[in-house]
Amino acid sequence: QVQLVESGGGLVQAGGSLRLSCAASGRTFNPYAMGWFRQAPGKGREFVATITWGGGFITYADSVKGRFTISKDNAENTVYLQMNRLKPEDTAVYYCAARRPASLRYDDWGQGTQVTVSS
């Protein structure tokens, strides 16, 4: 069983920055990819960014391209999301997730961390 714990959320003014972390634990932790997703109030969960655990291949949602950076530390089993030039519309609960090898979906999810951007 994989446990994912997010941290680093908070309240920030528009234009500011935050860095989210997601620490993974579990003896069998060896994902194909790690991803960040978010869910704003009254909206569905949306994709933000993903990175493959081995090759480091990265994909971003258009809404965050150029502002957010996903990275990983394989030795620490941690994935990060650096968020710059934050906008009020980035306000959401941010979740990290792990996609297991040979899986077509994200199987393991963290509990989420709140990010609030004030205008």
Side-chain angles (χ1 to χ4, degrees), residues 82-97:
Q82 177 67 44
M83 305 186 294
N84 298 329
R85 293 187 281 133
L86 282 160
K87 306 175 182 180
E89 51 264 43
D90 295 318
T91 295
V93 177
Y94 283 70
Y95 300 89
C96 74

Side-chain angles (χ1 to χ4, degrees), residues 20-44:
L20 305 184
S21 299
C22 173
S25 61
R27 286 191 296 175
T28 60
F29 182 71
N30 183 30
Y32 168 74
M34 295 292 294
W36 285 98
F37 296 78
R38 66 187 182 186
Q39 186 165 17
K43 296 188 177 181

